[in-house]
Amino acid sequence: MAALLTSTAFGVAVPAMAQEAADSDSNVIVVTAQKREQNLQDVPIAINAIGNEKLDQLQVSELQDVVKFLPSVTIQQGGPGFAQVYFRGVASGENANHSASLPTVGTYLDEMPITTIQGALDLHAYDLARVEALAGPQGTLYGASSMAGTLKLVTNAPDPSGFYGSAGVELNTVAHGDLGSIYEGFLNVPIAEGAAARLVGWYRDDGGYIDNIAGSRTYASSGIRQSNTALVEKNYNDAETYGARLALGIDLDDNWTIKPTLMGQVQNTQGSFSQERSGQTKKELQTVQYNPEGSRDKWIQAALTVEGKIGNWDVTATGGHLRRKTETQSDYSDYAYFYDALSGYGAYFYDNAGALVNPNQYIQGIDRYKKSFGELRVASPADAPLRFIGGLFAQRQSHNIKQNYIIDNIADSITVTGTGSNIWLTQQLRVDRDYAAFGELTYDLTEKLSLTGGLRYYKFDNSLQGFFGYAAGYNGDKYDEDTGAFIKDGTGEAACNGRPAIVEGSPCTNVDKSTSDTGFIHKINATYKVTDDVLVYATWSRGFRPGGINRRGTLPPYGSDKLDNYELGWKTTFGAFRWNGAVFQEDWNNIQLSFLGANGLTEIRNAGVARIRGIEMDAGFRSNGFSLNAGFSYNDAEIRRDFCAIANATFDCTTTDNELLAPSGSRLPVTAKVKGNAIARYEFPVADWDGHVQFAVNHTGSRRSDLRPAQNAIKGNLDAYTTADFSVGVKNEAWAIEAFATNLFDTRGVVNTGVQCIETTCGTGVTASTPTGGAFYDVVIKPRVIGVKFSRDF
């Protein structure tokens, strides 16, 4: 298969018309993991590269599709456009809250980092040269938020050698759901000698498979009855994705090239991508939602890369700008219902005449992201015994956050100033700034032995400003379990203390903080070429993640966390057989542990120490049209110190008002101990056509849903699951026809889980007399999809 492990022979970055020959006749896979073109088998890091043709063969159309073929990579998804990616078990249960920690994995689109707090862009995977997955800290060359690894999406570059293109159509149907389709194509057009343009476009319609079934409930405090009759719909979680890319490649002379690119995508979803496993649903793939749900994720990216030579040194200057806007609608009525059942929450919501209103609550959010970056680097000749690569990096990313928590028709006195009917408003501006100087120096001690040392000096400066909370006239901020009443907790307009609004759209300012720091990280590597086909290496590397701001004013900022990686790896090729692997230990220090604190606000504490030990392997064989690839990873990830509610230097959870949240030895959540896959493919002649048949199997082991044992017991572990994919087809020089089935046996694998409940009664069950046990939601993988694809090259 092509594990991420130490490498993988999935594809090679060449023009589409030459791809087949390269895959068939050569084991050379060209990657840019170390920011220069190299044969993957010569790169002494754990890397997987899946090429253009293989992405198509594996039915990859979105991020989740490719992750299942990367055993050391885990995805935690809430729906299209809302995914967190993890390498090697480096996950503590981050909830991707807008004011919480940055991701532990950096995502790149060509040369540009595109990581946002919301996670990776869910780019439709078409006309990509390859996907590179770089495991372990990549901090020396890739910097902040590549602490656990880096995922690179590399697009096909314009090709001045000739005019060609392709167009394709896919029609599919999802089990228990609707029909879907994909339309995509590209044109490569020479526009002058040494200059070309590449225009790519795609449209994807994903059929829904979750049913919103009929339901009703009565609020205990008022007797107001709520029904979702108007929203009942079968297969209501459909998605629409469309986008385009225009790239130019212009050779100014024999040494200098400029490559401008403009790319954008829009993704619209309706409904929820979770099935409910409690409450009023009776079957899988069902939920009961009382308010409209969906999202619109729109982004555009412009980038420019200039490559050339000064003497015999390579010079690269690159920069770009990304804008992303997500609009979301979310049902929050569970929160209102369970709080009302516990404490008469609904009695706090009345109209201007003093009459009680329906306490039903929903969220409308608008998140705007901006990211600008620039990098200048130089590289000495790659064939010299002493080699250097290094440069300067700067990045600024901002996140303008607006979250409206709405209860219709509430009185003006309890409505957040300046809003229509908000019981709560989050209106904040988060800015993260990163600066760095970096370099790696490699020296060949002998023809077989090379040593590499790398450093990255960094500075970050992060801030959070704006408003969050209730109106000044609302008396209930936090439920006090001892008194059974709502009390003030320092949020909302009452906490502004007369400070005027800094962020446009907010009534005033109750959070205005910043944090900054400097430091450096390192990399040390020794590589030994046993033969031309056998390489072994040892690496000690470090990655980091910047600190940030806790929006609750009583909490201090949280600092950086760091990951030390100790790795031994090998890469071998024996004729038609390839075997690569790595064993490693990673020590994660000062972990940014996030959890829901008072009033449901995310809090981050530097309170953890974890150790991850693992092994990764991949193997491949190809002969006479038959190929077999298999990959496997094992991760033993656990915390090594007690996790306390209040952090302290001694990890002592017995201090006043402190609490042991997770004892030493607790397994880290999200990532399975065991994950693996295998792909068998046979290619054979069919008259004047080339035929193929392919079978793939993927396995993901059981996972914890939460680091904290008490919360994990409530939500439950995520069970292991195995899926299988099958395809058969034919192609010639112009046409390709393929039939396929993914998740052939219709497995219901869970990739994320959540619960809406009141902590004191969470998980106790929902009955007429005690309706406070909570509603549990599982995000499941897509059911079986059967489809047919047609494409025409010209």
Side-chain angles (χ1 to χ4, degrees):
M1 87 115 232
L4 95 35
L5 314 333
T6 293
S7 72
T8 250
F10 261 6
V12 58
V14 296
M17 295 180 71
Q19 181 81 42
E20 180 184 354
D23 283 353
S24 300
D25 302 333
S26 174
N27 285 324
V28 175
I29 305 167
V30 178
V31 297
T32 56
Q34 298 192 124
K35 298 204 172 184
R36 65 166 92 214
E37 290 188 351
Q38 294 174 282
N39 179 350
L40 183 145
Q41 291 295 93
D42 293 332
V43 180
I45 62 175
I47 175 177
N48 164 238
I50 305 180
N52 186 329
E53 186 177 30
K54 207 66 181 181
L55 290 168
D56 184 60
Q57 292 173 359
L58 296 172
Q59 321 305 330
V60 171
S61 60
E62 58 185 341
L63 187 62
Q64 184 171 339
D65 297 333
V66 72
V67 166
K68 72 180 184 180
F69 295 103
L70 305 173
S72 289
V73 185
T74 299
I75 190 169
Q76 189 177 40
Q77 194 163 26
F82 299 88
Q84 295 289 316
V85 179
Y86 304 97
F87 275 85
R88 290 182 170 176
V90 183
S92 61
E94 297 87 347
N95 59 11
N97 181 273
H98 44 72
S99 58
S101 303
L102 286 165
T104 60
V105 173
T107 309
Y108 274 69
L109 180 56
D110 292 322
E111 292 279 354
M112 181 173 180
I114 55 172
T115 313
T116 70
I117 185 64
Q118 185 171 297
L121 296 181
D122 198 2
L123 172 67
H124 177 68
Y126 177 66
D127 198 48
L128 294 178
R130 63 192 176 276
V131 175
E132 297 180 17
L134 286 58
Q138 303 299 322
T140 306
L141 293 180
Y142 291 95
S145 292
S146 284
M147 181 178 73
T150 300
L151 193 67
K152 293 186 66 176
L153 311 175
V154 183
T155 62
N156 277 319
D159 175 17
S161 68
F163 174 89
Y164 57 91
S166 181
V169 176
E170 175 185 315
L171 303 175
N172 59 63
T173 179
V174 58
H176 322 286
D178 279 339
L179 300 175
S181 59
I182 300 176
Y183 306 89
E184 52 197 12
F186 79 88
L187 281 176
N188 188 92
V189 183
I191 54 179
E193 184 177 354
R198 196 174 187 99
L199 179 63
V200 186
W202 58 89
Y203 176 87
R204 190 173 90 228
D205 179 22
D206 294 317
Y209 49 87
I210 301 287
D211 299 339
N212 192 25
I213 66 173
S216 62
R217 55 193 178 191
T218 301
Y219 288 92
S221 63
S222 61
I224 293 175
R225 186 171 179 80
Q226 183 179 21
S227 170
N228 72 339
T229 302
L231 298 174
V232 171
E233 182 181 353
K234 286 184 65 64
N235 310 323
Y236 90 133
N237 65 320
D238 55 280
E240 174 191 57
T241 306
Y242 55 91
R245 174 170 62 92
L246 174 62
L248 299 177
I250 304 171
D251 294 333
L252 301 178
D253 56 27
D254 291 340
N255 291 326
W256 290 89
T257 300
I258 62 173
K259 301 176 181 178
T261 303
L262 182 66
M263 184 186 302
Q265 180 175 281
V266 177
Q267 189 170 63
N268 298 313
T269 71
Q270 300 294 327
S272 167
F273 287 76
S274 302
Q275 67 179 20
E276 194 170 344
R277 59 178 155 105
S278 60
Q280 301 177 76
T281 60
K282 302 299 181 184
K283 299 179 181 178
E284 294 179 332
L285 304 179
Q286 290 185 344
T287 189
V288 181
Q289 297 300 294
Y290 291 86
N291 293 287
E293 294 199 303
S295 66
R296 179 177 176 84
D297 185 7
K298 178 172 63 176
W299 58 266
I300 187 168
Q301 181 237 14
L304 175 66
T305 299
V306 180
E307 298 175 329
K309 285 184 176 292
I310 297 178
N312 60 356
W313 283 57
D314 295 323
V315 178
T316 302
T318 183
H321 184 72
L322 170 71
R323 293 196 175 204
R324 183 182 191 184
K325 178 182 179 182
T326 60
E327 300 174 81
T328 57
Q329 297 184 91
S330 305
D331 186 359
Y332 207 50
S333 61
D334 291 336
Y335 174 89
Y337 176 70
F338 293 130
Y339 254 109
D340 183 67
L342 177 68
S343 59
Y345 179 73
Y348 287 80
F349 306 120
Y350 45 86
D351 60 20
N352 285 329
L356 292 178
V357 300
N358 187 342
N360 168 59
Q361 193 169 157
Y362 57 95
I363 307 171
Q364 293 180 345
I366 302 177
D367 294 85
R368 294 178 174 90
Y369 304 87
K370 294 181 183 179
K371 180 190 285 279
S372 298
F373 99 105
E375 182 174 289
L376 175 65
R377 67 178 184 269
V378 297
S380 64
D383 56 356
L386 181 64
R387 300 179 294 280
F388 173 79
I389 184 170
L392 302 173
F393 174 88
Q395 173 181 266
R396 183 185 189 276
Q397 52 186 334
S398 65
H399 181 187
N400 194 312
I401 309 151
K402 185 173 185 178
Q403 302 287 321
N404 299 292
Y405 291 72
I406 301 170
I407 300 177
D408 290 330
N409 304 315
I410 57 175
D412 295 341
S413 61
I414 58 174
T415 298
V416 176
T417 302
T419 68
S421 196
N422 277 29
I423 189 63
W424 175 286
L425 171 69
T426 299
Q427 182 78 68
Q428 297 171 342
L429 178 64
R430 172 177 178 164
V431 180
D432 295 68
R433 307 167 188 86
D434 300 284
Y435 313 94
F438 63 92
E440 287 190 0
L441 187 66
T442 300
Y443 180 61
D444 297 334
L445 289 176
T446 70
E447 291 184 354
K448 294 180 178 292
L449 178 62
S450 301
L451 298 180
T452 298
L455 287 175
R456 189 180 188 98
Y457 177 81
Y458 66 83
K459 176 182 179 180
F460 67 83
D461 184 1
N462 301 336
S463 62
L464 183 67
Q465 298 176 316
F467 173 85
F468 69 105
Y470 297 103
Y474 182 65
N475 292 322
D477 278 4
K478 182 178 70 171
Y479 182 71
D480 186 292
E481 298 174 3
D482 296 327
T483 64
F486 285 89
I487 60 175
K488 284 290 181 186
D489 75 337
T491 66
E493 294 185 55
C496 288
N497 297 320
R499 289 177 292 178
I502 296 175
V503 178
E504 183 179 356
S506 60
C508 55
T509 299
N510 58 19
V511 59
D512 184 6
K513 287 187 175 184
S514 64
T515 184
S516 62
D517 198 6
T518 60
F520 70 91
I521 54 177
H522 67 269
K523 173 183 175 181
I524 301 172
N525 170 270
T527 302
Y528 187 74
K529 274 271 196 178
V530 181
T531 69
D532 289 342
D533 297 320
V534 177
L535 174 152
V536 294
Y537 68 88
T539 297
W540 174 24
S541 59
R542 174 174 291 177
F544 82 104
R545 179 170 50 167
I549 302 300
N550 271 300
R551 61 174 169 163
R552 186 181 294 279
T554 56
L555 297 177
Y558 53 92
S560 301
D561 50 358
K562 295 183 179 180
L563 186 76
D564 281 293
N565 175 55
Y566 309 92
E567 181 174 324
L568 297 174
W570 63 92
K571 296 189 174 185
T572 64
T573 305
F574 304 102
F577 178 75
R578 182 199 72 259
W579 178 42
N580 300 325
V583 294
F584 60 88
Q585 175 172 310
E586 296 185 332
D587 295 330
W588 190 5
N589 294 294
N590 215 31
I591 300 174
Q592 296 174 11
L593 288 166
S594 60
F595 60 97
L596 294 181
N599 206 41
L601 295 178
T602 297
E603 299 180 6
I604 301 97
R605 319 250 185 177
N606 292 104
V609 175
R611 184 192 67 200
I612 302 128
R613 288 176 174 169
I615 183 170
E616 308 165 330
M617 289 189 291
D618 81 269
F621 174 80
R622 184 183 182 96
S623 179
N624 298 322
F626 175 75
S627 63
L628 178 63
N629 294 276
F632 163 84
S633 72
Y634 172 83
N635 290 283
D636 182 14
E638 61 180 38
I639 60 171
R640 305 294 292 169
R641 296 287 189 276
D642 291 344
F643 171 32
C644 310
I646 302 174
N648 53 57
T650 60
F651 298 91
D652 182 3
C653 302
T654 63
T655 56
T656 304
D657 296 326
N658 209 344
E659 178 186 359
L660 175 64
L661 298 181
S664 174
S666 296
R667 181 176 159 192
L668 293 180
V670 179
T671 299
K673 277 193 174 183
V674 176
K675 186 183 178 190
N677 58 61
I679 303 166
R681 183 179 178 88
Y682 182 59
E683 298 174 349
F684 51 89
V686 180
D688 295 332
W689 296 63
D690 296 321
H692 73 267
V693 59
Q694 178 175 286
F695 183 79
V697 61
N698 301 271
H699 175 76
T700 299
S702 64
R703 294 135 289 148
R704 289 176 66 101
S705 60
D706 201 289
L707 172 66
R708 300 161 295 173
Q711 284 70 21
N712 190 76
I714 292 170
K715 292 189 290 184
N717 288 328
L718 307 183
D719 291 336
Y721 65 92
T722 302
T723 64
D725 302 339
F726 176 79
S727 63
V728 60
V730 294
K731 68 178 181 179
N732 59 21
E733 292 183 356
W735 290 93
I737 305 170
E738 183 178 52
F740 68 89
T742 59
N743 193 5
L744 182 63
F745 302 109
D746 200 24
T747 300
R748 205 72 67 235
V750 178
V751 296
N752 200 358
T753 190
V755 59
Q756 284 283 356
C757 65
I758 305 305
E759 188 169 359
T760 54
T761 57
C762 200
T764 59
V766 180
T767 66
S769 58
T770 59
T772 56
F776 293 78
Y777 298 94
D778 294 329
V779 180
V780 295
I781 62 175
K782 188 176 292 187
R784 178 178 57 246
V785 176
I786 297 176
V788 60
K789 301 193 297 187
F790 306 88
S791 66
R792 173 72 161 89
D793 295 339
F794 53 86

